[in-house]
Amino acid sequence: MSPCLGCALSSLSIEDQEDVQFPYAMRDLPPISQSTPTEPNGRLKSSSGTSSLPCSIYFPPTGSPTVPPRRNHAGLDPQFLPLRKQIVSQVSLESPLSPASLPRSPWGRPDPYDSPEDQDKEYVGFATLPNQVHRKTVKKGFTFTVMVAGESGLGKSTLINSLFLTDLYKERKVPNAEERIGQTVDIVKHMIGIEEKGIKLRLTIIDTPGFGDAVNNIKSWKHIEDYIDQQFEQFFRDESGLNRKNIQDNRVHCLLYFVSPFGHGLRPLDVECMKALHEKVNIIPLLAKADSLTQAEILKKKMKIREDIRQFGVNIYQFPDCDSDEDEDLKTQEQFLKDSIPFAVIGSNIQVESKGRKFRGRSYPWGVVEVENPVHSDFLLLRNMLVRTHMQDLKDVTREIHYENYRAQCIQNMTRMMVLERKRSLREKYREGYEADFPLPLAVVDTEKERQIFEKDEELRKMQEVLERIQEQIQQGQ
Ligand code: GDP
């Protein structure tokens, strides 16, 4: 287990933390040093074992500041510079200001006005808005929900443990063959709080044991679909309710779908399941147990799976396109991610030792595989994508596309029900001759159409009465 994650596992409430806790969280934040050898967006190239990857894997800036605080021409510590103008209006710059007497930057982030050339310019100050957003979001913490699906034995639990450096499945009981014959799909929820460098993440893993294990797997994804819908429904209810402040977001942000390395592309069950879910969740297909395939086989299987996905019209998660003015490195990185689908992954719950190094891997008579070695698998690519580069996009797509679809459908159904109900009550009132008491329409209604529908309904009703009378006469005549 990694020392930074493993020891810090603790349950975390995602509601606004007390202000008291905040300074602690912020103190641990890695300040972004201006001369740290980072690329734009604070990304660094991976150090260990990643050099052979066709493109760089990014790491956020870590560690403490490497640059000693610069002093400006006025002899003030840079962290006080943004406040200089404010101070100038209160006291003369020549006055002996001790650092302690200066108002401090409240959250220790680098100030956008903190450059010598900015000192003589006048600013309103809104370039600090990102810092304010940063402070609020860090204070609130982050949530992320991942669902895993695929037939049992494909290494789902092992991969989740490897991805998030946890041990989530200690008490898991694997059912025997008899128990699996008529098995239904269960939904098991694991929640963990992870804290790294003062940033808190409430991670929810939704497991779907039993999926694809029964003799008859028809509609075995129904439970999964229902679960995703239930989370949307709950969110919709909470959002439309009175107390919208502390809404818990349990919507599923991505589905890691495990494809067997032993088949030829997707199985019918995979296609059916993915198609049933692709409008509701971001599907990321994975080629499981990549260590059981040769390099050439991996490439072949990846191509076949991509072809099946295209041919059967499965909509998996689409990595966002880069803008034309983005830097070239980012564009290469995005293209590489797209070309790597499905990610060929390896998982392991144990550390192995080889050539004096200890790492998470699998040991075989002919050698060892390293889970985090990009030459051996796409594990690192997947983890970086999930956590470092695309977590926010997965959440945005969930909110803006999948949830919006659900919400629009819900509102449409509700409106239809309301219209039907109103029509029914209108009909009753017409019938009872309550024209004077015409109800106020809830929405703009075409009254002429309403009247026509009512008249047609009445005609139908009368014809039905005539028909019934004729039937009665026929029966009496027999
Ligand atoms: P699940 O039923 O899909 O959750 O699968 P498990 O994680 O329980 O793994 C089933 C078996 O496969 C265990 O014996 C694991 O040690 C093994 N396993 C897990 N991941 C891998 C992998 O990447 N490669 C290989 N060869 N075996 C794996």
Side-chain angles (χ1 to χ4, degrees):
M1 274 213 174
S2 134
C4 52
L5 268 178
C7 60
L9 296 185
S10 59
S11 67
L12 162 73
S13 157
I14 208 61
E15 279 89 47
D16 274 6
Q17 306 294 312
E18 288 298 311
D19 263 0
V20 180
Q21 293 177 1
F22 178 64
Y24 154 74
M26 295 309 296
R27 211 173 30 236
D28 278 0
L29 273 178
I32 299 167
S33 145
Q34 293 187 344
S35 73
T36 306
T38 54
E39 293 176 7
N41 304 328
R43 288 168 283 152
L44 282 170
K45 290 202 173 174
S46 165
S47 51
S48 68
T50 56
S51 54
S52 47
L53 193 67
C55 78
S56 53
I57 291 184
Y58 298 126
F59 289 88
T62 54
S64 32
T66 53
V67 185
R70 283 178 289 116
R71 304 200 73 83
N72 76 329
H73 53 271
L76 292 172
D77 196 289
Q79 78 181 85
F80 308 131
L81 285 174
L83 302 155
R84 196 184 68 156
K85 290 214 159 58
Q86 188 189 330
I87 297 160
V88 166
S89 67
Q90 292 161 6
V91 288
S92 152
L93 255 186
E94 276 71 51
S95 67
L97 283 171
S98 76
S101 69
L102 287 168
R104 283 176 181 276
S105 165
W107 42 83
R109 300 270 301 164
D111 199 286
Y113 301 99
D114 180 19
S115 73
E117 60 270 23
D118 279 343
Q119 299 317 302
D120 299 323
K121 294 186 191 151
E122 263 197 322
Y123 287 109
V124 175
F126 51 80
T128 55
L129 278 173
N131 286 4
Q132 297 173 38
V133 174
H134 174 93
R135 176 186 182 270
K136 281 199 104 167
T137 41
V138 166
K139 185 180 165 193
K140 207 168 168 209
F142 296 83
T143 56
F144 190 59
T145 301
V146 183
M147 186 179 239
V148 284
E151 73 187 79
S152 115
L154 284 184
K156 299 184 295 295
S157 341
T158 313
L159 189 85
I160 288 296
N161 283 342
S162 315
L163 277 177
F164 299 106
L165 307 174
T166 58
D167 192 8
L168 283 182
Y169 299 87
K170 274 181 289 208
E171 276 134 45
R172 175 181 177 215
K173 183 183 164 283
V174 180
N176 61 30
E178 200 186 343
E179 285 166 328
R180 273 191 268 161
I181 289 175
Q183 192 175 4
T184 51
V185 181
D186 283 335
I187 301 285
V188 183
K189 195 168 164 179
H190 305 271
M191 267 187 354
I192 44 166
I194 305 177
E195 186 173 334
E196 257 185 25
K197 299 194 178 290
I199 308 290
K200 292 169 178 179
L201 173 71
R202 190 196 65 176
L203 179 71
T204 309
I205 309 287
I206 313 292
D207 208 350
T208 56
F211 172 76
D213 287 357
V215 172
N216 183 354
N217 284 304
I218 289 178
K219 295 261 172 194
S220 62
W221 56 86
K222 191 78 184 90
H223 276 77
I224 302 179
E225 189 180 0
D226 288 347
Y227 180 84
I228 296 173
D229 279 342
Q230 277 161 19
Q231 307 317 306
F232 281 152
E233 186 188 327
Q234 189 57 51
F235 194 83
F236 184 60
R237 281 179 193 283
D238 292 348
E239 213 184 30
S240 326
L242 284 178
N243 183 9
R244 289 152 42 100
K245 200 161 175 254
N246 295 320
I247 296 178
Q248 281 254 346
D249 183 3
N250 290 318
R251 292 171 293 185
V252 182
H253 300 122
C254 91
L255 169 66
L256 297 179
Y257 193 92
F258 286 67
V259 179
S260 167
F262 311 118
H264 298 285
L266 297 180
R267 296 171 308 162
L269 175 65
D270 299 329
V271 175
E272 288 297 309
C273 174
M274 288 199 213
K275 284 184 81 165
L277 304 175
H278 65 184
E279 303 281 314
K280 298 169 189 268
V281 67
N282 295 311
I283 299 176
I284 299 173
L286 306 181
L287 181 57
K289 296 190 173 178
D291 57 326
S292 57
L293 301 168
T294 65
Q295 207 63 30
E297 284 168 338
I298 290 182
L299 288 178
K300 220 169 121 189
K301 283 194 195 276
K302 279 189 171 197
M303 265 169 62
K304 177 77 174 89
I305 292 171
R306 282 202 296 265
E307 197 184 301
D308 286 351
I309 286 174
R310 234 187 343 266
Q311 186 187 342
F312 294 111
V314 178
N315 300 326
I316 57 167
Y317 170 65
Q318 294 297 314
F319 295 105
D321 287 326
C322 286
D323 292 336
S324 52
D325 57 347
E326 298 275 16
D327 79 56
E328 284 305 315
D329 231 10
L330 190 70
K331 284 185 195 164
T332 323
Q333 159 97 351
E334 289 290 313
Q335 194 50 49
F336 183 67
L337 269 178
K338 286 178 189 170
D339 296 343
S340 302
I341 288 283
F343 297 115
V345 289
I346 300 172
S348 167
N349 282 334
I350 53 162
Q351 298 257 327
V352 294
E353 204 167 346
S354 169
K355 294 180 187 155
R357 272 195 321 123
K358 259 185 133 180
F359 48 83
R360 202 174 264 258
R362 307 184 71 83
S363 178
Y364 296 105
W366 52 89
V368 286
V369 285
E370 279 180 61
V371 167
E372 298 197 15
N373 186 336
V375 177
H376 296 179
S377 85
D378 297 330
F379 173 88
L380 211 54
L381 201 62
L382 170 69
R383 182 157 73 189
N384 284 338
M385 186 284 273
L386 271 185
V387 183
R388 293 190 164 170
T389 54
H390 288 74
M391 187 184 274
Q392 194 51 49
D393 189 62
L394 286 162
K395 292 175 79 171
D396 289 347
V397 174
T398 304
R399 195 187 63 243
E400 290 162 15
I401 298 177
H402 301 309
Y403 175 64
E404 266 317 297
N405 283 344
Y406 172 86
R407 196 171 157 273
Q409 221 168 4
C410 243
I411 292 173
Q412 230 173 31
N413 289 345
M414 279 160 62
T415 316
R416 200 173 301 138
M417 273 164 60
M418 268 163 59
V419 168
L420 282 176
E421 180 55 30
R422 207 168 44 79
K423 273 186 192 160
R424 199 186 55 78
S425 73
L426 267 177
R427 266 198 291 276
E428 274 167 19
K429 295 220 163 169
Y430 271 123
R431 214 166 282 144
E432 289 161 19
Y434 277 124
E435 293 221 32
D437 196 16
F438 202 85
L440 281 175
L442 291 164
V444 182
V445 209
D446 187 341
T447 346
E448 187 47 38
K449 259 204 189 120
E450 289 276 358
R451 195 176 284 277
Q452 283 172 0
I453 291 171
F454 171 73
E455 282 167 6
K456 291 276 176 244
D457 274 0
E458 280 299 287
E459 264 175 47
L460 271 173
R461 196 176 54 80
K462 280 180 189 151
M463 279 165 72
Q464 209 155 0
E465 278 174 12
V466 174
L467 212 73
E468 277 166 15
R469 270 205 301 277
I470 294 171
Q471 271 174 346
E472 263 174 40
Q473 283 168 5
I474 293 172
Q475 273 169 1
Q476 277 166 8
Q478 278 172 351

